Amino acid sequence: MRSPEFLTRSATARRLVLLAGLGAGALALTALGAFARGHALMINVSPSLPYWAVWTTKGAVPRRGDIILFVPPPSPLLEAHFGKEPKPFGKVVSGVPGDVVTRKDRAFFVNGRLVATAKPASRRGEPLALGPTGTLPKGCYFVTTPHKDSFDSRYAAIGWACKSRILGVGRPIL
């Protein structure tokens, strides 16, 4: 038979272990919460990028070749294809602030390098107005994908992806 002293020690030890576990759990949740404020997992449902899961770092400064996720600007064309509240778009940064975007016919160039060719009409036959050209201002990016039906900066309804609409820089994970 065990002494009452053993039971007291055992109950105290259990309480200490429980308190330590609760403290560790609280610290882990705090760290996870801080991490979640700066990161997000985005699911891609568009065929314009070959990835279906993108890990996004909020507030990161995009570089040429990065994938960025952004909120597209409202437009009747966008609403007709994606609804009143479209999901964020994921595109590749083809032009960064200071780069010069030019166009010849429907071909778009960044600093003289061909990056995309615009279609005259959408898959539904709506005419597609061409996107802006000129020097990309601070905080704005020319975004594209190689997919023929990508709805991106080559079209006026999207235009340049600027800082106020950018959710973060993405890294494909699947």
Side-chain angles (χ1 to χ4, degrees), residues 34-103:
F35 182 77
R37 281 190 293 279
H39 299 84
L41 176 65
M42 304 295 282
I43 303 301
N44 176 38
V45 295
S46 164
S48 67
L49 285 175
Y51 320 108
W52 68 268
V54 178
W55 190 248
T56 306
T57 303
K58 300 173 188 173
V61 176
R63 296 178 296 171
R64 190 181 325 280
D66 282 348
I67 294 171
I68 63 168
L69 288 105
F70 65 98
V71 176
S75 76
L77 184 62
L78 192 80
E79 186 176 320
H81 285 261
F82 302 99
K84 286 188 182 284
E85 295 184 30
K87 302 289 184 229
F89 279 24
K91 304 295 176 190
V92 177
V93 175
S94 295
V96 297
D99 284 351
V100 177
V101 177
T102 56
R103 183 181 72 233

Side-chain angles (χ1 to χ4, degrees), residues 10 20 26 30 53-54 70 75 94 105 107 124 126 134 136 145 152 159 165:
S10 181
T30 300
V54 178
F70 65 98
S75 76
S94 295
D105 297 320
R124 296 181 186 171
E126 300 115 329
L136 284 162
T145 75
D152 53 37
R165 295 192 170 279

